[in-house]
Amino acid sequence: MTEPAKPPLNPGDEAEPGTVGSGEDICPQCGGTGKLASGQSCPECGGTGRIVEGIGGG
Ligand SMILES: [Zn+2]
């Protein structure tokens, strides 16, 4: 089963992209670089440097 129109969420994502009441933000784990200090890809944002946060709403 593939869902090409629905990219997988990263661990740091709190909501799906495009979800009402959510917003993209810099990943606090890597500071938006997508990489950790060790040089490894940030697992929180999947190396994108950004996460999707749920803001407001419920
Ligand atoms: Zn990150």
Side-chain angles (χ1 to χ4, degrees):
M1 292 222 287
T2 55
E3 299 178 9
K6 203 174 180 185
L9 292 177
N10 294 312
D13 292 334
E14 294 181 352
E16 293 180 26
T19 303
V20 176
S22 71
E24 219 178 42
D25 202 357
I26 298 293
C27 173
Q29 193 73 24
C30 61
T33 64
K35 287 189 178 183
L36 302 178
S38 63
Q40 288 186 308
S41 187
C42 176
E44 197 72 13
C45 60
T48 62
R50 287 161 181 255
I51 58 169
V52 179
E53 284 187 321
I55 45 179

